[in-house]
Amino acid sequence: MHPEDLPAVMEIAARVHPNFPEDIAVFAERQRLYPAGTHLLHGNDTACGYLVSHPWHSGAPPALNSLLHRLPPSADTFYLHDLALLPAGRGTGAARTIVNSMLKHARGAGFSSARLMAVNGSVPFWEHLGFVVEDSVQAADGGGSYGEDARMMALPLD
């Protein structure tokens, strides 16, 4: 993902996650802080999804629509902040491919785990990729920005 891709990312986010809006500044900051963790997915020569991920700490994921300012120097997990795929890109294997690529990257970078907040009933998708629900961890804002059905999930990478 590049800065010029951000309008497409915002359009996809608005369609896929209308209940979890984030400002363009959030996506721009994540892309600037950890470009290797941001990807725009293409299908039929058009943007059909994206993934935003970065090093973080396992204690609590960042609240939605919040700036990080910097990545934590003591990052001990790889955080998958946002995966969004338009209907046209679903069922193509694109999500699995990009997530597996990011997990390979995280292993190579020395992270022993990956974490995410599953929203919109996506727990079964993530479980299929090996993630397990880890309810003992709350978001920095108590989980409120992620919704009542959100679940923290983790995957060991070693």
Side-chain angles (χ1 to χ4, degrees), residues 18-117:
N19 296 326
F20 306 102
E22 293 194 279
D23 296 332
I24 195 168
V26 171
F27 291 103
E29 181 193 58
R30 300 297 201 284
Q31 193 280 326
R32 181 182 50 78
L33 289 174
Y34 202 76
T38 59
H39 296 274
L40 187 64
L41 305 174
H42 294 274
N44 297 327
D45 297 323
T46 185
C48 66
Y50 63 83
L51 174 68
V52 175
S53 58
H54 53 82
W56 196 244
H57 45 79
S58 56
L64 287 178
N65 203 28
S66 65
L67 296 176
L68 303 178
H69 305 291
R70 65 183 177 97
L71 296 175
S74 59
D76 63 353
T77 195
F78 195 76
Y79 185 65
L80 302 176
H81 175 75
D82 191 2
L83 172 66
L85 204 60
L86 293 173
R90 295 179 189 155
T92 65
R96 176 186 301 276
T97 298
I98 193 63
V99 168
N100 285 335
S101 176
M102 280 293 85
L103 295 175
K104 181 178 178 181
H105 167 82
R107 282 183 189 98
F111 292 98
S112 61
S113 68
R115 285 186 167 71
L116 58 90
M117 288 293 284

Side-chain angles (χ1 to χ4, degrees), residues 119-139:
V119 298
N120 289 338
S122 64
V123 167
F125 169 80
W126 294 109
E127 286 176 332
H128 193 69
L129 293 177
F131 284 82
V132 296
V133 173
E134 189 180 52
D135 278 330
S136 62
V137 179
Q138 291 292 322

